Amino acid sequence: MSGPGTGTPGAPAGERATEARCKGSRGAGARRAVLLLPAGPALLLGLDAALILLELPAPLTAERLPEVHGVLLVLGFAGTLVALERAVALGARWAYLSPACLGAGGLLLAAPVDLRAGRLLLVAGTALLLVLYTRFWKRQPGAALLVQGAGAVAALGAALLWLGGLDVPRLLPWLAAFLVLTIAGERLELARVALLAPRTEDGFLAASGAVLAGAVVTLLWPGTGSALLGLALLALVGWLTAHDVARRMLRSAGLPRFSAACLLAGYAWLGLAGALWLVGGPVAEGPRYDAVVHAVFLGFVLSMIMAHAPVILPAVLRRPLPYHRVLAGPAWLLHLSLALRVLIGDLRGPETAWRLGGALNITAVLLFVVLAATLSVRAGRARPGAAGGREGTRPDGAARPAPRGSAPVTDPGPADGGGRPDVDEGSRGTVPAPDGAPGAAGTDAGPAPDGVPMAVPVGGGTGEETGPGNHRAGDSRSPGTAPARGAGTAAGSGPARPAPGTPDPVPGAAPSTPGRAPGTEHPEVPR
């Protein structure tokens, strides 16, 4: 009988050590899942509020839900996802206070307690998120990190303004800036794989800065601020469409093509929101308000979450989430139903189209969650590592042969050392490419530089009615709630260089994606 920490009886010492690290890795993933738990109820409560706003039957009919719907989804759900990923990347225990405060604050918004309690926790959580970005900046400053930090400033500003009594429709530009800049920062990091010229990056920074400036100006001069915000979003969409690697991956297959399609569709919706802000001016109620809110938080943000989920969630929760073509179903449903809701229901008038599109939006979100959870559970049961073994070994302890063409797997070292993002043992070493993806396998490239966060979802996720309110003036589309999403992101920009003290990469191994944990292969980065 093996003693504590001895691993599989009869296995080599290195194998037993790796098995012990694998168990510790799964334990860390379980602890993070506890912090993620509040995000689940926040999403479900947000979707319940969406049904109420659509004047459809809902499981819960609490009066407060429609009022907090958008903030609940943006900061309580998406903010928790973003903050948890940042905390994992930093590796410090205090960093987990940010997702804990955001998650708890989101739940208190829907609880029968004083609303100020939830608002205060959201302020604390967003403030800690901003502190996280300052710590990353000290380690490795860069343009992408600067943009994501600006998104955190917008999140904190929105939380403070809401605490001060500002109504949610006036917070819409701030909530949008939070998630748009968070996601855009990651896209810049991946676009830099193509070795962008300095002037090109300056254009991105100018557009991103104008997004935050537009949100600020809307408080003093709503008309001018809305025009500036709309123009900045259009400029940002133009930059991303021209320089994002998604355009090149659209002709691929499997996960790369799925991610690229979601990204480009998301840019189209963000461009529509920018055009509505630029041409129509401030939005505070009615169909145009509903159109802007859901073009940003469903069309753009949720599409980004779907695109990044198979890459980011395994890195954060240490649970496999393999891509399968069934995931394209919810994505198609989301965009088609959103077109029905926004392009026909909001912009042309038929309320039936608006309500049907909204109901199908909710269906798409729930369907994606159910399919992703099912794929993750099935993959966990199929992988030896999920049952206490290690990927790459047979149940009898003997090593499995490496896939043809893959690099040798090296001992990755402690999973949670040195404050670096810890990575699932299953994601190290040889990683088979998604169906149809270019390249056969990825390899471990050693630890990521200190302070380089893994990308999130991106983004995030948000639920259906992920925006501030959905009521018409005089009907069920008037303001009262705010958006949601996700977000996700990579950190740091500038030339890809290791931080001081970063070990040399394994000879012959492929480099890991900038801003991500080692071994976390991103489908959009050419190998």
Side-chain angles (χ1 to χ4, degrees):
M1 181 175 180
S2 59
T6 58
T8 304
E15 183 82 16
R16 293 197 303 270
T18 302
E19 185 176 332
R21 283 197 299 271
C22 185
K23 291 179 180 178
S25 173
R26 291 194 298 273
R31 291 190 294 272
R32 295 169 190 168
V34 171
L35 291 174
L36 192 62
L37 283 178
L43 175 62
L44 294 178
L45 288 169
L47 296 179
D48 183 271
L51 290 171
I52 297 174
L53 292 167
L54 289 166
E55 299 178 345
L56 294 173
L60 300 177
T61 56
E63 293 182 2
R64 181 185 288 186
L65 281 179
E67 178 186 353
V68 302
H69 161 65
V71 177
L72 174 63
L73 287 170
V74 174
L75 298 181
F77 170 66
T80 299
L81 298 180
V82 173
L84 179 59
E85 189 275 331
R86 301 293 89 182
V88 170
L90 188 64
R93 291 186 177 182
W94 65 265
Y96 291 93
L97 289 173
S98 178
C101 287
L102 289 168
L107 292 182
L108 286 181
L109 294 182
V113 298
D114 191 337
L115 195 58
R116 287 176 296 179
R119 291 180 176 182
L120 284 170
L121 281 176
L122 293 180
V123 170
T126 52
L128 286 167
L129 178 61
L130 184 57
V131 173
L132 286 174
Y133 279 112
T134 61
R135 294 294 296 271
F136 288 128
W137 180 265
K138 291 179 180 179
R139 292 184 177 187
Q140 189 175 3
L145 189 58
L146 180 64
V147 171
Q148 294 170 60
V153 170
L156 177 58
L160 287 171
L161 291 170
W162 199 44
L163 179 64
L166 203 67
D167 59 346
V168 173
R170 296 193 65 188
L171 298 179
L172 174 59
W174 292 77
L175 295 170
F178 164 44
L179 294 176
V180 168
L181 294 178
T182 298
I183 295 169
E186 178 190 355
R187 301 316 305 172
L188 172 63
E189 189 66 52
L190 290 173
R192 290 182 63 253
V193 173
L195 302 176
L196 299 174
R199 290 185 180 180
T200 303
E201 197 166 284
D202 291 343
F204 177 88
L205 288 174
S208 300
V211 170
L212 184 59
V216 174
V217 174
T218 56
L219 294 177
L220 303 175
W221 304 284
T224 303
S226 297
L228 176 59
L229 178 60
L231 186 61
L233 289 176
L234 288 173
L236 190 61
V237 167
W239 192 97
L240 290 169
T241 303
H243 299 287
D244 200 312
V245 295
R247 285 193 308 127
R248 287 176 287 174
M249 303 307 294
L250 193 58
R251 297 181 180 179
S252 184
L255 178 57
R257 183 174 183 175
F258 169 77
S259 298
C262 288
L263 290 165
L264 295 175
Y267 296 154
W269 286 112
L270 186 61
L272 175 62
L276 290 174
W277 255 315
L278 176 62
V279 175
V283 291
E285 60 184 10
R288 195 161 54 86
Y289 176 81
D290 186 82
V292 169
V293 164
H294 294 92
V296 173
F297 296 100
L298 279 181
F300 175 70
V301 174
L302 187 56
S303 190
M304 297 295 144
I305 294 174
M306 290 181 172
H308 292 94
V311 176
I312 303 305
L313 291 183
V316 173
L317 297 182
R318 296 180 174 178
R319 292 285 306 176
L321 178 53
Y323 169 74
H324 191 282
R325 59 180 175 270
V326 297
L327 292 178
W332 274 102
L333 180 60
L334 173 70
H335 292 290
L336 291 176
S337 61
L338 191 58
L340 176 64
R341 174 186 189 147
V342 172
L343 301 181
I344 299 177
D346 286 328
L347 301 184
R348 297 181 65 89
E351 190 169 308
T352 303
W354 164 73
R355 185 169 288 110
L356 177 59
L360 292 176
N361 292 160
I362 297 174
T363 303
V365 175
L366 293 175
L367 183 59
F368 183 82
V369 172
V370 170
L371 289 177
T374 301
L375 290 172
S376 180
V377 170
R378 290 179 59 185
R381 290 175 178 173
R383 287 174 54 188
R390 177 187 178 191
E391 188 173 7
T393 61
R394 299 197 301 262
D396 60 4
R400 294 182 183 273
R404 190 176 304 174
S406 63
V409 178
T410 60
D411 189 356
D416 287 292
R420 296 187 178 92
D422 38 358
V423 181
D424 185 1
E425 195 71 32
S427 68
R428 295 182 181 273
T430 301
V431 181
D435 295 341
T443 55
D444 182 12
D450 285 335
V452 179
M454 297 174 291
V456 141
V458 172
T462 100
E464 196 304 88
E465 307 284 330
T466 58
N470 306 306
H471 296 269
R472 285 183 196 270
D475 72 68
S476 56
R477 275 186 262 190
S478 77
T481 62
R485 157 336 225 241
T489 69
S493 112
R497 60 184 184 279
T502 301
D504 292 331
V506 179
S512 57
T513 303
R516 299 185 183 279
T520 306
E521 301 292 340
H522 196 286
E524 301 164 48
V525 179
R527 295 187 178 93

